[in-house]
Amino acid sequence: MGQDTVNRVAREAEGQTRQVPLKTLDGVLGGEVPRIIKVDVERFEAEVFKGAIRTLGDPRLRAIITEGQDGGVLGMLQPAGFERKMYFPGGGALETGQSVMSSNALLVRALV
């Protein structure tokens, strides 16, 4: 607590902390489905997605931007139909691959 953009999950013994209620993304959204989700929770992305099973399965969700992109995260997103893409603003194209310019991953559901 009190560290601005570097706040993180900590043990109580680490200093000034605050307990926060945990809610699932599915619960917070209450049946609403966004078109895009941005998740940056300092290596807790897999836990966020575990609480978003209904949302991830809804075809109205078209894209996810996430900093966490380990095997656990990709293992949940790829079976839900999301594929990692790179965006090239010059031509407005989405291409398969990994950008070396960003620590974030853009995952897009196949457009059908």
Side-chain angles (χ1 to χ4, degrees), residues 71-92:
V73 169
L74 295 177
M76 283 184 269
L77 300 181
Q78 290 170 332
F82 291 93
E83 183 179 0
R84 185 159 183 170
K85 297 287 186 178
M86 290 186 306
Y87 175 68
F88 295 97

Side-chain angles (χ1 to χ4, degrees), residues 17-30:
T17 61
R18 175 185 337 190
Q19 288 188 1
V20 295
L22 296 177
K23 299 178 181 181
T24 65
L25 188 56
D26 283 342
V28 169
L29 291 172

Side-chain angles (χ1 to χ4, degrees), residues 8-42:
R8 67 193 191 301
V9 174
R11 293 178 182 84
E12 286 189 54
E14 289 186 56
Q16 193 175 11
T17 61
R18 175 185 337 190
Q19 288 188 1
V20 295
L22 296 177
K23 299 178 181 181
T24 65
L25 188 56
D26 283 342
V28 169
L29 291 172
E32 295 290 322
V33 180
R35 299 300 178 258
I36 186 168
I37 295 174
K38 165 77 164 88
V39 177
D40 183 352
V41 289
E42 305 307 324

Side-chain angles (χ1 to χ4, degrees), residues 44-82:
F44 286 88
E45 287 82 2
E47 285 78 2
V48 169
F49 294 126
K50 285 177 188 174
I53 301 303
R54 184 175 59 232
T55 303
L56 292 177
D58 193 305
R60 294 175 291 175
L61 176 61
R62 304 304 296 178
I64 297 170
I65 300 170
T66 182
E67 191 171 36
Q69 46 197 294
D70 63 23
V73 169
L74 295 177
M76 283 184 269
L77 300 181
Q78 290 170 332
F82 291 93

